[in-house]
Amino acid sequence: MYDPTVARLTYRALLGRRRALILGALPVLLIVISAAVRAFSGADDQVAADVLGGFALATMVPIIGVIAGTGAIGPEIDDGSVVYLLSKPVKRPTIIFTKLIVAIAVTMVFSAVPTFVAGLILNGNGQQIAVAYTVAALVASIAYAALFLLLGTVTRHAVVFGLVYALVWEALFGSLVSGARTLSVQQWALAVAQKVAGGDLVTSDVGLPTAVILLAAVTAGATWYAGQKLRTLKLAGEE
């Protein structure tokens, strides 16, 4: 289910100089903001939770997921080079699964690691805030990568739709409409973080069992459907 050659090509595409700079911009900004907040306000658990929840998990993680998830396959479909990949003796589910693993790994590195560092800077992991939000970033990375990889296979405007979901649906509607939070990867990840933190600083509108089921369902469903769309794309190319 994992092809090293496909993985190497995908890593090369995602971590090229230009895309790597884009991926690294938000983590650097998070670290800078965290250092400034710590310098001005000192170690404060509530402030740490607000920064990590409001910027790291709500903004940085989904945007990095959009870049990594759509970038793992979208450019190849746009320029037609995916046809050459599909002509190789590699099964379509293997291609999708390999690209998903790469997208997850890139999203985790560029989101979970800086989230943990920022948490240590903000309050030294007081009340497990840094660990809780790091776990949330790791969990969200998996779902975001699968969801945005699927978008990359079904539309040429995957980045636009991904940003609309991340910044409009989750950030805007999620803050205004309570029912929308149930269909939010951010809230599912927060449910896991709430369990890790065990206090009142990290909260979610979705229960942990529901969150785990939805995370697994979205990841598995998006991965499966992306494989089906890739199979259809191959048939179209052959015709």
Side-chain angles (χ1 to χ4, degrees), residues 56-76:
L57 189 62
T59 302
M60 183 186 72
V61 179
I63 290 179
I64 291 176
V66 169
I67 297 171
T70 60
I73 196 170
E76 291 176 298

Side-chain angles (χ1 to χ4, degrees), residues 106-195:
V106 170
T107 306
M108 285 182 171
V109 169
F110 282 92
S111 61
V113 173
T115 297
F116 182 67
V117 173
L120 293 180
I121 293 173
L122 287 164
N123 75 332
N125 194 36
Q127 297 195 51
Q128 295 292 305
I129 296 299
V131 172
Y133 277 102
T134 299
V135 171
L138 290 171
V139 170
S141 295
I142 299 173
Y144 281 132
L147 184 62
F148 298 135
L149 179 65
L150 171 62
L151 282 179
T153 64
V154 300
T155 176
R156 293 179 179 271
H157 306 290
V159 173
V160 174
F161 286 113
L163 290 175
V164 167
Y165 171 80
L167 301 180
V168 177
W169 177 263
E170 292 205 342
L172 181 59
F173 283 94
S175 64
L176 299 177
V177 184
S178 58
R181 297 170 192 153
T182 305
L183 301 177
S184 168
V185 174
Q186 177 188 341
Q187 290 297 322
W188 305 341
L190 280 173
V192 180
Q194 183 178 12
K195 179 66 175 180

Side-chain angles (χ1 to χ4, degrees), residues 11 33 45 52 55 68 71 90 96 111 136 138 229:
Y11 275 119
I33 291 175
D45 295 339
L52 296 181
F55 182 78
V90 181
I96 289 296
S111 61
L138 290 171
K229 293 301 293 183

